[in-house]
Amino acid sequence: MQRNGLQEKNYCKFDDQRVQLFTSSLYLAALVSSFFASKVCTKYGRKQTMLVASGFYLIGVALNAAANSLIMLIVGRILLGFGVGFGNEAVPVFLSEIAPLNYRGAVNILFQLFPAGVPAFMLFLGSFVIPDTPTSLIERGQLQNGRSILQKIRRTEEIENEYNQIVHASELAHQVKNPFKKLAQPSSRPPLVIGMLMQVFQQFTGINAIMFYAPVLFQTVGFKNDASLLSSVIIGLVNVFSTLVSIKTVDKFGRRALLLQACCQMFITQTIIGITLLSDLKTTGSLGHVEAIVVVLLVCLFVMSFAWSWGPLGWLIPSETFPLETRTTGFAFAVSSNMFFTFVIAQAFLSMMCHMRATIFFFFSAWILVMGLFVVFFLPETKNVAIDDMNERVWKQHWFWKKYMDSDHDENGQKVPNQIHP
């Protein structure tokens, strides 16, 4: 490729830490704000937390759109980060708590279709209209209001079993004065470890490497600059379509099936991309037309498999596995893990691509192999299990995690019996 009469290197386009830091600064703001969001979510409810999130989004988008200086851009991006932190904390939990048991996965995955911008305005308006979740209302002592909302969203008067489950979970939650200390107990380890690892693995699929810098990748494989934008649009459409596939299938086939299928597809496509670039794309020059088309198709297949698996399920599974007493705090650790490793990847990817070249795809392929083994051995199925039944029906039945469920101790070192929901 030529630029200003000079050949441009394919793998070292923007190896500039300042560019990467600006790109990834949003995620540091989101990381910090997620823990504040967990407090707001518990004390004031999911609805108010979403309202705060939409406010940050809208102000951040407005500042970035009107920016005429670097300071305005940075402030706008930080506010967007606050919106991401508050939104990612509240929305998945909100959706998991209001969703009917048999459609919890599908309802939760709708979250993936709402990025910043216009949907943030819809979220802002919706926050004045929608009720809070029955769980949040009951947890904050509004029992009658919680019962009424539960009857309304279930469209039936027969909600006693679910209502009593939520009340009992709220009573247990009130006994926990320090959720951070509770998270340190062995019984909290299964959802905490899985919630955080799902977010870490989500980033190490290599998806952000492709999505953040899609124009760079498509330019690298032989497309002109004008075609880069079109390629990004195509990837975005593939992402949306595949997310709709996930909505349709997650409650039918289960979480594990989608994750394992995607691991196979992502591993194969990313390995072939790496082999193709390693053999045919040198430091300068470009791929042949056929090879370029093949790489584009493989990238689309990769994005497709990610979008119906690790993308949405990385948020769904942590939002549905924590008990109420540690739900918002535990989920904040999951959100912050996502933001931290998104920051790491965004900060490092261009430098990694510059130095590792095509072998960067083998790096991410190796992680995908690890992720597949993790799902096989350590991730239990949560389809059709009530949130407040996870301890009994999931963790205590799993070959590995069950050993942690009866190992809690109080401050005096005495063993604490694990609470059982009615």
Side-chain angles (χ1 to χ4, degrees):
M1 299 178 196
Q2 300 284 332
R3 180 175 290 180
N4 298 328
L6 297 175
Q7 279 212 317
E8 182 183 10
K9 293 184 178 179
N10 285 316
Y11 297 107
C12 297
K13 295 181 179 295
F14 303 108
D15 186 14
D16 187 333
Q17 288 296 311
R18 292 172 297 177
V19 173
Q20 295 175 93
L21 182 60
F22 176 77
T23 301
S24 54
S25 60
L26 178 150
Y27 303 103
L28 289 180
L31 188 160
V32 173
S33 64
S34 63
F35 288 100
F36 292 99
S38 73
K39 293 291 186 182
V40 175
C41 213
T42 299
K43 188 171 182 179
Y44 299 104
R46 289 49 163 159
K47 174 181 174 178
Q48 295 300 321
T49 310
M50 290 190 293
L51 179 61
V52 173
S54 62
F56 280 130
Y57 275 135
L58 292 173
I59 297 172
V61 168
L63 283 176
N64 279 170
N68 54 16
S69 68
L70 181 60
I71 295 298
M72 283 185 69
L73 276 174
I74 292 174
V75 171
R77 195 156 180 82
I78 289 173
L79 290 176
L80 279 174
F82 290 162
V84 169
F86 275 76
N88 284 0
E89 172 68 25
V91 176
V93 172
F94 176 90
L95 293 174
S96 287
E97 289 182 344
I98 66 168
L101 179 62
N102 294 336
Y103 299 100
R104 187 173 65 229
V107 171
N108 187 282
I109 291 171
L110 290 171
F111 168 62
Q112 297 295 310
L113 300 177
F114 287 85
V118 175
F121 183 69
M122 295 168 57
L123 181 63
F124 180 76
L125 294 179
S127 298
F128 291 100
V129 178
I130 60 174
D132 211 335
T133 69
T135 299
S136 180
L137 292 168
I138 293 169
E139 183 184 19
R140 290 181 287 127
Q142 302 179 37
L143 273 66
Q144 190 55 45
N145 195 11
R147 177 191 288 271
S148 175
I149 296 300
L150 187 60
Q151 290 173 336
K152 184 179 295 185
I153 63 177
R154 297 293 181 258
R155 297 183 178 181
T156 179
E157 300 289 321
E158 305 299 323
I159 46 86
E160 288 304 313
N161 287 340
E162 185 176 2
Y163 175 77
N164 290 333
Q165 240 183 7
I166 296 173
V167 169
H168 183 70
S170 298
E171 292 171 349
L172 295 180
H174 291 152
Q175 296 173 18
V176 176
K177 304 303 180 184
N178 188 335
F180 290 97
K181 185 176 293 186
K182 176 65 177 176
L183 280 174
Q185 293 282 2
S187 65
S188 296
R189 204 162 297 165
L192 182 64
V193 171
I194 284 179
M196 295 177 69
L197 282 180
M198 286 296 295
Q199 300 288 0
V200 173
F201 288 149
Q202 184 191 79
Q203 300 311 309
F204 278 87
T205 58
I207 186 63
N208 282 336
I210 291 174
M211 296 293 282
F212 287 169
Y213 305 107
V216 175
L217 288 173
F218 281 100
Q219 186 181 359
T220 295
V221 298
F223 286 79
K224 296 179 181 179
N225 291 342
D226 292 341
S228 298
L229 180 58
L230 177 61
S231 301
S232 297
V233 172
I234 292 173
I235 287 181
L237 292 175
V238 169
N239 186 50
V240 171
F241 169 77
S242 302
T243 301
L244 295 176
V245 171
S246 182
I247 290 172
K248 185 69 175 177
T249 58
V250 67
D251 293 305
K252 181 177 181 180
F253 299 115
R255 287 65 163 146
R256 282 167 51 89
L258 291 182
L259 291 170
L260 288 172
Q261 184 280 331
C263 281
C264 295
Q265 188 167 324
M266 289 191 296
F267 180 82
I268 292 170
T269 54
Q270 194 148 211
T271 300
I272 296 175
I273 289 172
I275 292 172
T276 303
L277 297 186
L278 189 65
S279 61
D280 296 335
L281 185 67
K282 307 308 177 185
T283 303
T284 58
S286 61
L287 289 175
H289 183 70
V290 174
E291 290 89 344
I293 294 297
V294 169
V295 170
V296 169
L297 291 176
L298 289 170
V299 167
C300 289
L301 286 172
F302 176 87
V303 172
M304 186 182 298
S305 58
F306 174 86
W308 65 48
S309 61
W310 289 89
L313 300 188
W315 295 104
L316 167 62
I317 291 173
S319 74
E320 66 183 1
T321 50
F322 284 100
L324 183 56
E325 56 263 33
T326 57
R327 187 167 300 157
T328 59
T329 306
F331 195 66
F333 276 96
V335 173
S336 63
S337 297
N338 180 286
M339 295 304 132
F340 176 74
F341 282 96
T342 303
F343 166 78
V344 170
I345 294 297
Q347 185 69 14
F349 171 67
L350 290 178
S351 298
M352 290 172 64
M353 191 173 184
C354 182
H355 294 92
M356 297 175 68
R357 302 183 181 181
T359 59
I360 190 172
F361 294 99
F362 301 133
F363 170 80
F364 288 121
S365 295
W367 276 101
I368 292 171
L369 184 61
V370 172
M371 290 155 51
L373 295 174
F374 165 77
V375 174
V376 169
F377 293 106
F378 298 109
L379 185 67
E381 183 57 69
T382 55
K383 180 187 73 171
N384 292 335
V385 180
I387 294 179
D388 295 316
D389 280 344
M390 289 292 169
N391 278 0
E392 295 300 315
R393 294 183 54 190
V394 174
W395 307 125
K396 287 190 175 182
Q397 308 303 319
H398 191 266
W399 73 273
F400 181 79
W401 299 116
K402 64 182 181 181
K403 64 185 178 182
Y404 295 100
M405 298 311 297
D406 293 309
S407 304
D408 289 1
H409 292 80
D410 60 22
E411 295 179 352
N412 298 318
Q414 299 298 313
K415 190 172 183 179
V416 178
N418 194 267
Q419 299 281 3
I420 299 177
H421 291 286

